Amino acid sequence: MVHGESKNAPSMADVAARAGVSHQTVSRVVNGSDAVRGDTRDRVLAAIEELGYRRNKSARALVTRKSGRLGLLYTQPHLYGPGTLAASVHQAGQRAGYDIILSPVPHLEATSAERAIEALLDDAVEAVLLGVSHQSFEDLVAQLATTVEVVMIHSDPPAGVRSVGIDQHAGAVLATQYLLDLGHRTIAHVAGPVGWIDARQRREGWLAALRDGDAQPGPEIFGDWSSRSGYEAGAEIARDASVTAVFAANDSMALGVIRALREAGRRVPQDVSVVGFDDVPDAAYLWPPLTTVRQDFASLGELAVEVATKAIADGTVEAPPLLAPELIVRDSAAPLSPSRDVR
Amino acid sequence: MVHGESKNAPSMADVAARAGVSHQTVSRVVNGSDAVRGDTRDRVLAAIEELGYRRNKSARALVTRKSGRLGLLYTQPHLYGPGTLAASVHQAGQRAGYDIILSPVPHLEATSAERAIEALLDDAVEAVLLGVSHQSFEDLVAQLATTVEVVMIHSDPPAGVRSVGIDQHAGAVLATQYLLDLGHRTIAHVAGPVGWIDARQRREGWLAALRDGDAQPGPEIFGDWSSRSGYEAGAEIARDASVTAVFAANDSMALGVIRALREAGRRVPQDVSVVGFDDVPDAAYLWPPLTTVRQDFASLGELAVEVATKAIADGTVEAPPLLAPELIVRDSAAPLSPSRDVR
DNA sequence: CGAGGCGATGTGAACGCTAACATGGACGGG
DNA sequence: CCCGTCCATGTTAGCGTTCACATCGCCTCG
């Protein structure tokens, strides 16, 4: 109150008055300009410290016309993959000097996703990272891209859109090939729900590996990523004695499959082998330890931010190559036991 | 370019010109003031639509001195609980008209948490929700609270700080009491790491229930929330034949315990009963299905936002009662088998 | 029929910052 | 020794919005 300083947060003018310089000099110091003499800088810095000054981002954004924000839209925030992705995007963004707006959309309805995008646009994000590889988004992207930079996190993006991804197809081939190498010929697949790109890619990888190995596709059941759906799929698979291996499109479903198989009296891996996808942290401590395909979500998030910041800076469009997943061999898959080899 | 409208995003002035009114009238329409005639409003709305006008939040925040933002700091973003909490806070915030800044801190180091708080403050959040019930934060809170409204998400908050929480102690009592009722007398505990409030509360609940049931505490091992640490704890517990039940401080550790027990030839639940905490979605489909304590993270998030918005509005301090957890009985705990009853 | 009031709209300033340009003093070269 | 140059700093305007207040009809009431 006394010196014209109110109870409001201090502004550059307050700092300037205190340091005996103009507000512009304060601005220069805050922005790291080198056109300030050492002792002046020190005085300003001291004033900032004493006053607890904090630059007002709104004012800055208003005049620079840049928000310095990136938005990430993602689904299933309670799951390991999306959660890890969000955290790594956030961290990478901070490092790159951007604020990250995390926008989890709990259920995948078109309306809630559109609302979320509207909210991101209202926040004036400079780029939107779409961590939702669901086909319902493919149309949305084209339209969105006219407004703002867009980066899809996607293993099979539509042509011309910036993207990063992990090679889901290759991961599925890894898993299926492994099972084939173990001698299995009838390999079932518990797929992710229709509409999800990753689910489709994993299914196609399974099919492709089978084709390459001259094996016929085993039964195929569509789940919804949940362990419950895996359980139901497993119960169905257990009825088919010819199936000696199952490739599940994620670890949760794999764990449900294993439970159902057990309840039906089929041992894992002695009677039936099971392979999952994701390598969630608990996978190694399931019973049996789950053989699965690991995805590096942390690198994916960093890559996404890198592509986004480049796009903002110079409009670069080129997509980096897909990241390679890795097969993690544990105990839930074993060689086909001779007794079951009917040939 | 033609009408003074540039390639920049349209402003209120642009809308006003188009609708033939003043910028203030546009402002009134956008803010839902009722002091605008119906036909004027329609003209403005039409102009907004045609121009694709979007209100500039920075300018608004600058003049109102309110950011309309709430920040949530949380750890272990890849886990079910924190992920669910973040999503529900985000959703509840949107509903309440606030933007939510989700700030996951990947590893719990003081420096990274402080950086995250600085970032939140730089974003001018009107309240900080602290979803980190670790004791290293208790000091920080007092200091932070002088700057901004703070809501702790915490089952045992320091006096005088606004908070919401789920009753961890009660949950642990529920689990332990259940084991006691089943006839178990030697109940081990796999605790969460020292420093975590929830871990401490669950441990104390276990101790309290034991005391009430006139039972001696069984062996106690500290894990780090991971299934790996549960596995290691389980291996140790398996060596002690007197232990017939284990209460693990979360589901991941419970699952690790079960695996270790199995490897040591102890059946679950016939030889040893195991109860977890959290009720992660996969818990019901583990083998055996996990008996555990469910926490309602979604309600917790909503409550936190409610308390925060009230605090901002009228400075309310009173804390709502802790939410009650619920025991979910499945198959991983069973009555003490007679053969083991040494009495 | 005129004063008073009210409802609808407009005007000007201010929020805190950056960008562009202005100023002014020290220094060096012819 | 004077002028041009350059470095450090200051001055002014404007970003898009809201707030406080002004204005201007028109209706009501005595």
Side-chain angles (χ1 to χ4, degrees), chain B residues 124-195:
Chain B
V125 294
E126 296 180 33
V128 172
L129 312 190
L130 280 181
V132 191
S133 56
H134 192 274
Q135 90 190 8
S136 65
F137 274 72
E138 307 215 324
D139 309 329
L140 231 161
V141 171
Q143 176 196 347
L144 186 61
T146 63
T147 311
V148 70
E149 301 290 350
V150 173
V151 177
M152 296 195 79
I153 298 174
H154 202 298
S155 57
D156 185 27
V161 16
R162 250 179 294 264
S163 72
V164 300
I166 297 175
D167 196 335
Q168 306 295 322
H169 189 280
V173 168
L174 237 37
T176 311
Q177 187 61 54
Y178 175 68
L179 256 10
L180 249 14
D181 290 348
L182 252 23
H184 296 280
R185 304 302 298 170
T186 305
I187 303 174
H189 181 45
V190 181
V194 172

Side-chain angles (χ1 to χ4, degrees), chain A residues 128-296:
Chain A
V128 172
L129 312 189
L130 280 182
V132 191
S133 57
H134 191 276
Q135 85 189 15
S136 65
F137 273 72
E138 308 215 324
D139 309 329
L140 231 162
V141 170
Q143 177 196 348
L144 186 61
T146 63
T147 311
V148 70
E149 301 290 349
V150 173
V151 177
M152 297 194 80
I153 299 175
H154 202 298
S155 57
D156 184 27
V161 16
R162 252 177 293 265
S163 73
V164 301
I166 297 174
D167 196 335
Q168 305 297 320
H169 189 281
V173 167
L174 237 38
T176 310
Q177 185 62 53
Y178 176 68
L179 255 11
L180 248 16
D181 289 349
L182 252 23
H184 297 280
R185 304 303 296 170
T186 305
I187 304 174
H189 181 46
V190 181
V194 173
W196 291 83
I197 312 303
D198 289 354
R200 189 182 70 206
Q201 293 274 299
R202 291 174 200 171
R203 175 174 177 273
E204 285 173 6
W206 165 69
L207 248 18
L210 254 24
R211 203 178 318 115
D212 281 2
D214 280 323
Q216 294 301 313
E220 169 178 26
I221 301 173
F222 290 86
D224 65 3
W225 300 127
S226 75
S227 47
R228 189 191 46 68
S229 73
Y231 176 73
E232 287 161 9
E236 199 172 327
I237 290 170
R239 275 182 235 119
D240 184 343
S242 70
V243 174
T244 64
V246 181
F247 167 46
N250 78 354
D251 288 349
S252 277
M253 295 197 293
L255 149 184
V257 165
I258 292 175
R259 156 97 182 279
L261 253 16
R262 284 244 177 72
E263 286 191 358
R266 317 281 296 275
R267 295 167 302 164
V268 178
Q270 297 88 337
D271 300 326
V272 181
S273 289
V274 176
V275 175
F277 208 108
D278 279 349
D279 194 27
V280 300
D282 288 348
Y285 295 92
L286 293 174
W287 177 257
L290 189 65
T291 292
T292 186
V293 177
R294 177 179 297 167
Q295 312 196 65
D296 187 351

